[in-house]
Amino acid sequence: MTLFSLLGLSAFATELNIEAADGQTAVVLVDDFVKGETPVTTDVDGGEVTLAFRDSMFGPVLFSKTVTIPASGSVTFTVDLDAREVRTAGGSATPAPAPAPAPAPAPAPAPVPAPAPEPSAPAVTRLQVAGSGAKVLLDGKDTGKTAPATLDVDPGRHVVRLEKGCEAGEETVTATEGDTTKVDVPIVAAKHMLKVETTPKGAEVMVDGEVLGKSPLEVKLACGTREVKAVKEGFQAASKAVDLKADEKVALTLEQEKYGSLAIDVQPANTTIKLDGEKVGTGSVKLDQVPVGVHELVLERKGEVLERKAVTVKENGEVMLSMVVSDAKADPTAPPPDGSTPPSERPARKSPGRLAANGIVTAAGLAVLPLGFYNYGQARKAYLDYQDMPDGTERDSFYRSQVQPRQNLAFIEWGAGGALFATGAVMWITSLADAPVRVAPMPNGLVLNGRF
């Protein structure tokens, strides 16, 4: 008991002692003033006092209790944070110190006893939490309920938190005894730091297709699944899917780009050539720096796609394509743009003179080829005789006059016969075709274009 003296007047205050249950520590507030961590001893005036408790100095109020303090003396309470309960030193759950004894009144006639009133049910304090499907936490503990939900709570301040996926939000509310308090907690997507590093550095970083800068890069993004991609000229792109639930670090390694070459020749020459959606030439094109892998080749004419195919390019390899495409939608009876006669209306070139020339050239080729084999056989026979001759001037002279000339003649006859035979074959093809045939040289041989 403490005695205050002021201007000759005296007043008494009550000593208030607050302890925590075993293994607990509580921060004590008396009438909204922080008094410190348990154990706490302070002086208060008699009457009703509101005690509130936290589990840390700056945490939310877990619960509060209004108690009656005597006008003088000392009173001790024990707080149990887990049970949300305040007990007196004697152990009663509802502290109510006995008032100071009053003088006994004069005896009066005993009144007729009235019937005892029916005990009323204690008032219930509730929080009505709005929302849709979010998990509800109260004062940091999972309630096991999802919004919308109704919670029975102790009067006082509480922290209501909602969590749904990577979205969350919280609100501090004061529950009034016996009332239902409505709580509407807005939830928003949480943001986390994403750090992207690449090897080599300086690669362009894209997240979900949006360019955010060059590596190394740090950016704060809303939580959720994100597609991180890095590109750099001369290197193959690298990407990775990240589930952003907390701060993340992503390291991407870009492999050196590998190349091959691609040579394309297309007839007619006014055909547009596109590779992977980009125009690379018309009619004929040679590309030396084509990345290794599968590419899409598209041939177009007058805005119409005529052919589409996949082309595989290998490291340091060369792909050569010779193609003839026609407009499938063209009218075969329509005249060509240059006004010439359509191929279908041109006279057939199967004239007797042309056919006779074809036969002569082909026959000449077939005749010269056997002569080559005959002379080679004679040269072979002479060479065997040369092997049996003794060394000397006569042996060398025999080789120069008999073996070598016949061998050279055989090679000449083979070459001439083969050329005549090939020429005759081409002449027969061009004569018997239903439409004009075009013969053109290519890097890897000859190409014959026409309809056979």
Side-chain angles (χ1 to χ4, degrees), residues 38-59:
T38 54
V40 171
T41 300
T42 184
D43 293 334
V44 297
D45 294 332
E48 289 190 347
V49 174
T50 299
L51 304 179
F53 304 94
R54 302 175 182 168
D55 59 2
S56 64
M57 185 62 70
F58 299 103

Side-chain angles (χ1 to χ4, degrees), residues 137-280:
L137 292 87
L138 181 66
D139 298 328
K141 295 184 178 181
D142 190 354
T143 63
K145 298 183 178 181
T146 56
T150 300
L151 309 175
D152 293 340
V153 299
D154 294 323
R157 283 185 292 182
H158 298 274
V159 177
V160 179
R161 180 179 177 84
L162 298 185
E163 294 180 354
K164 185 177 183 181
C166 66
E167 298 180 330
E170 66 180 37
E171 195 82 18
T172 301
V173 296
T174 301
T176 305
E177 186 173 4
D179 290 342
T180 297
T181 303
K182 294 184 178 180
V183 185
D184 191 1
V185 181
I187 60 174
V188 295
K191 289 191 174 184
H192 303 292
M193 184 67 70
L194 176 66
K195 183 176 182 179
V196 182
E197 296 180 351
T198 64
T199 303
K201 297 180 180 179
E204 194 172 66
V205 178
M206 295 179 287
V207 177
D208 295 337
E210 180 182 357
V211 178
L212 299 184
K214 294 185 179 295
S215 65
L217 175 72
E218 289 188 2
V219 62
K220 205 164 189 178
L221 300 172
C223 61
T225 301
R226 298 283 177 264
E227 182 70 23
V228 182
K229 184 177 182 180
V231 296
K232 186 177 178 68
E233 186 175 357
F235 294 84
Q236 299 179 23
S239 62
K240 183 178 181 180
V242 179
D243 190 4
L244 199 59
K245 294 181 178 178
D247 292 350
E248 289 280 353
K249 179 180 178 180
V250 177
L252 298 175
T253 300
L254 284 69
E255 299 292 339
Q256 188 82 33
E257 188 72 87
K258 298 176 182 179
Y259 298 100
S261 61
L262 179 61
I264 306 171
D265 182 80
V266 183
Q267 297 298 328
N270 65 340
T271 304
T272 299
I273 304 172
K274 290 184 176 181
L275 191 67
D276 296 331
E278 180 180 352
K279 181 180 177 180
V280 294

Side-chain angles (χ1 to χ4, degrees), residues 93-435:
T94 305
V112 177
E118 291 291 333
S120 59
V124 178
T125 304
R126 287 195 171 107
L127 295 179
Q128 194 174 69
V129 183
S132 177
K135 181 171 67 174
V136 181
L137 292 87
L138 181 66
D139 298 328
K141 295 184 178 181
D142 190 354
T143 63
K145 298 183 178 181
T146 56
T150 300
L151 309 175
D152 293 340
V153 299
D154 294 323
R157 283 185 292 182
H158 298 274
V159 177
V160 179
R161 180 179 177 84
L162 298 185
E163 294 180 354
K164 185 177 183 181
C166 66
E167 298 180 330
E170 66 180 37
E171 195 82 18
T172 301
V173 296
T174 301
T176 305
E177 186 173 4
D179 290 342
T180 297
T181 303
K182 294 184 178 180
V183 185
D184 191 1
V185 181
I187 60 174
V188 295
K191 289 191 174 184
H192 303 292
M193 184 67 70
L194 176 66
K195 183 176 182 179
V196 182
E197 296 180 351
T198 64
T199 303
K201 297 180 180 179
E204 194 172 66
V205 178
M206 295 179 287
V207 177
D208 295 337
E210 180 182 357
V211 178
L212 299 184
K214 294 185 179 295
S215 65
L217 175 72
E218 289 188 2
V219 62
K220 205 164 189 178
L221 300 172
C223 61
T225 301
R226 298 283 177 264
E227 182 70 23
V228 182
K229 184 177 182 180
V231 296
K232 186 177 178 68
E233 186 175 357
F235 294 84
Q236 299 179 23
S239 62
K240 183 178 181 180
V242 179
D243 190 4
L244 199 59
K245 294 181 178 178
D247 292 350
E248 289 280 353
K249 179 180 178 180
V250 177
L252 298 175
T253 300
L254 284 69
E255 299 292 339
Q256 188 82 33
E257 188 72 87
K258 298 176 182 179
Y259 298 100
S261 61
L262 179 61
I264 306 171
D265 182 80
V266 183
Q267 297 298 328
N270 65 340
T271 304
T272 299
I273 304 172
K274 290 184 176 181
L275 191 67
D276 296 331
E278 180 180 352
K279 181 180 177 180
V280 294
T282 302
S284 180
V285 66
K286 174 69 181 295
L287 305 174
D288 294 324
Q289 293 289 318
V290 181
V292 169
V294 180
H295 302 271
E296 183 185 45
L297 175 65
V298 176
L299 303 179
E300 294 183 356
R301 190 159 60 248
K302 298 180 181 180
E304 179 185 356
V305 176
L306 304 178
E307 187 164 342
R308 188 189 306 269
K309 68 180 301 182
V311 179
T312 301
V313 176
K314 297 182 179 180
E315 183 179 2
N316 299 325
E318 182 178 10
V319 179
M320 305 180 70
L321 298 175
S322 301
M323 306 176 67
V324 178
V325 293
S326 60
D327 188 349
K329 297 182 180 180
D331 184 358
T333 63
D338 57 3
S340 60
T341 305
S344 59
E345 298 179 6
R346 294 174 186 169
R349 292 181 291 175
K350 303 175 184 178
S351 63
R354 180 65 182 271
L355 296 177
N358 296 348
I360 292 172
V361 172
T362 305
L366 293 174
V368 174
L369 284 173
L371 288 176
F373 285 104
Y374 171 78
N375 283 307
Y376 183 80
Q378 293 299 314
R380 178 67 179 171
K381 181 178 179 182
Y383 180 77
L384 294 176
D385 294 339
Y386 162 77
Q387 293 282 21
D388 295 335
M389 296 176 67
D391 293 340
T393 305
E394 183 178 352
R395 185 173 185 267
D396 294 339
S397 176
F398 181 82
Y399 180 82
R400 289 193 298 271
S401 62
Q402 299 296 323
V403 179
Q404 197 170 32
R406 296 191 180 198
Q407 178 179 290
N408 292 339
L409 181 60
F411 290 154
I412 293 172
E413 289 170 342
W414 278 345
L420 288 171
F421 184 78
T423 302
V426 172
M427 292 175 66
W428 281 107
I429 292 173
T430 56
S431 298
L432 300 178
D434 294 334

